[in-house]
Amino acid sequence: MAAHLKKRVYEEFSKVVQLPQEEAPAKKLRLTKPSKSAALHIDLCKASNPTDALQYLLHFARSSVEAESVEGVVRILLEHYYKEQDNSVRLKIASLIGLLSKTQNFNPETILDDTLNTFNTEKSHQILAQLLDTLLVIGTQLPESPTVRHRLIEVACKHLSDTYFGVRNKCLQLLGCLCNVDTPLNKDGQGLVPAVIGGGAPGVSGGVCVRDAQSVISDYFADQDPRVRTAAIKAMLQLHERGLKIQQTIYDQACRLLCDDYEQVRSAAVQMVWVLSQIYPESIVPIPSSNEQVRLVDDSFGKISHMVSDGSWVVRVQAAKTLGNMLQVSPHFLEQTLDKKLMSDLRRKRTAHERAKELYASGEFSSGRKWADDAPKEKVDTSAVNLIASGACGAFVHGLEDEMYEVRIAAVDALSALAQSSASFAEKCLDFLVDMFNDEIEEVRLQSIHVLRQISINITLREDQLDTVLAVLEDSSRDIREALHELLCFTNVSTKECIQLALLELLKNLTKYPTDRNSVWKCLKFLGCRHPTLVLPLVPELLSTHPYFHTPEPDMDDPAYIAVLVLVFNAAQSCPTMTALFSDHTFRHYTYLRDSLSHLVPPLRLPGRKQAPGVSGIEGSGSVESAQLFLQQSLSRISTIHNLQDPGAQDLLNFTIRDLQRLGELQTELAGAADFSATYLRCQLLLTKALQEKLWTMAVPLCLKDNAMATAAAKQMLEETYKLEFLYSGLENRQVATIHHVRLQAKALQLVLTARTRRGVEPLISVCEKFLQEVESFQRLFVVELPHLQESFVGKLLDVSPRLSACKPGELVKILQTTLRQSGFLNLQLPKQVQRASATIIEPTGESDNPLRFTSGLVVALDIDATLEHVQDPHNTVKVQVLYPDGQSHVIQPKPGDFRSPGPHRHRLITQVYLSHSAWTEACQIEVRLLLAYSSSRLCKAAWSDSSTESLQPAEGATEGTIPFGKPVKVFIMPKPARR
């Protein structure tokens, strides 16, 4: 007992004290990057010969250098520059200094003094030229520093007298790029105040005044080296591009350079003369060796026209292109370019008094023995004064007949520009453009057709001209034929014989090339709309009607008969008396075509018959405005929803989606906006159904069906958001932020549903981290739009963002579930113009029951012809998908050359898809459709502001996929077994 008590005493009063261990301070690691300058110094010291040093420098040039290391690297390079004796190494070092000066966030002024000091000891002309190029880089990086400009221009002026052409070139380039352009100018082009080129104060030694800069540069127009003369002209043009008004005195020097022996000088002089003609168009210049005067723009036009006959095709191309930009020239000078003979109004003839006075002074009079021996003669003698050079006569005739197709294309483009500004000139150049349709080069023919299409509003084709134009329909090139169809759509013809001739040739084209069917029908539609009075007398012949006898009813499956009806029906729209010439079967055919080809057949008011649909109603004059108002009212009605769980929200969304879909079908102008709004509201409706009370108040095993429906709704929401972002163009930053907001809601819903169906915490950790990264990315990307998202799902998440990053996955899921149910409805604000990307497959039509037969194991080519509307970057995003009956799917990327661009926001895809399969027992259908590929990392959308995409990097886990757009086409194919 005593022992037990003793033990109790010791146990009660004994105390164990545990001293806390002192934690050793954590070691701090300092991460340092290896010094670029030290590594370069070591490499250059290891070089035993200039070849090794050059190799080290070339290797260094391929590596990147941080902005804080540039100054040290430059000093190391300059240190070895002074030690190095080999010119090639020093030349590379000078080049590297200029390259390093372009480093982002680096101030090149810190290395300016060291770079300028190299000029004191350098004797090599090539290295001096490279150093001047480095100074040019530094000067362009520091445009706001007048002191730097002043010092650089002093160096340039000092070396202008160098014997090496490269040094003089770089000096002139420095003067052209760094001269001050802020000096006010008077009418004579002289500075009102003597501002210094470098921007310093007046009177500073070494400075050159602005008016003196032009004289310094123009002195080198007569340099002995043609490369320096070219550089001087380009430096003067650089002054003009930077805003300095060039003096008119330069004009005579520039004109003399047009006769230079070297083509690069003449080409630059052509540009110089054109610039002066735009600055001083109305100035008067004298004609050499006479008392006549002309406008400067007319004189320069004549001189540049003369260059179209230059010996160098490069100069001829430059001259032809420049002529197209001279829109202020006088009409008689303009028309002279179409006639090789000198017109009388551009030739100054002596008056009768002057001729009589000259005859009297010579002492000779008419003897009277010869009849009219003293009559005035129209022949041009050597004493006559021409207001335009004889070599400039017929400049465009020479250009269109040139042996180089580049010159011919440039001449055609110049004719287009001048003809669009002068209706009379357009009529005179019509014959020349029509003759170009017979050119041997397809590119020239195609360009001539496009040019004639541009000026077609000012011209009317005669029958002989139309005959030449229609001959091109036999061309084997599909692009040529379709371009000609487009031309005929907007061309005016003079007689009904022209209409008959055009129809006959188009029907021949349709017979020879059946794939041109849609293009020919469209051409005849516009041809009938533009010439209703000319089509009217041809109707009995075209429809084969007779006043007394019944004629057989034509076959409605004949494309040629449909083409004739398209022509007649479109002409009847503006000619009410034409319908009296129709027979009974013509009215039936009209009803059929109005339903099947509504885009080609217009609505007509037929006598004694029910009014055709579409004549009144929504296609009225104010239909677009009323439809726009209806769209705005529908969206404003939706804005009354404050929460997705409000009673009646689902019904209102359903009715509004139905109305918007119907509006898009009736009003094509608003189809993009209506479909965009309906798709967005459909996403909100899916979210509303997924957040029903029943799903979230019951256990998962009791509502498996509802849980599966919510999962499918979340997946569909994600798909719809990608359609909203990549299938529509014209979106602004506000709409893109709204789309990403809906996408975050869908991903949050997926996360909540995943947590309800899965057990354990580990699988949710990675999903939660990924979701938080996307929230952070959204905040960084749309920081400008965050004030408009205060009551939305993202706004409520950002309010508790510190809590989100620290909470556990289960708590995060509860926060997301509560926020989804309590977040307000985010209203949609439409931009000014929203267009939906669409595709229409023209060929194959899918109407043929004859299968495409080929041997199994081999391939067969299927021609694809499709039109694309409002597709951004189709060369990289549009793909062709082929679905086989056994479930196989092939996706083909068309070649870039398969895409054409016939107009703005329109593209044409003409390609071939190769099919192959094993043998089948019977013919089956394959499905051909077009896909629009997208990637969530491709965030450089046109509607986004530049500030929001500068710092954005593509995500590693970028979502990529395809969106079907356009109706698919089914084609019968029959792979046959190979014969043994």
Side-chain angles (χ1 to χ4, degrees), residues 43-44 46-59 84 86-89 92:
D43 289 340
L44 291 177
K46 289 191 300 183
S48 58
N49 52 56
T51 304
D52 293 341
L54 195 59
Q55 289 297 327
Y56 287 128
L57 291 174
L58 289 173
H59 176 72
E84 186 62 50
D86 188 77
N87 286 347
S88 60
V89 177
K92 185 59 183 177

Side-chain angles (χ1 to χ4, degrees), residues 31 85 108 197 260 374 465 509 713 766 814 832 864:
L31 300 178
Q85 300 296 324
I197 290 181
D260 198 274
D374 59 345
Q465 295 170 337
N509 176 22
S766 60
K814 292 181 180 179
K832 296 180 180 179
I864 302 292

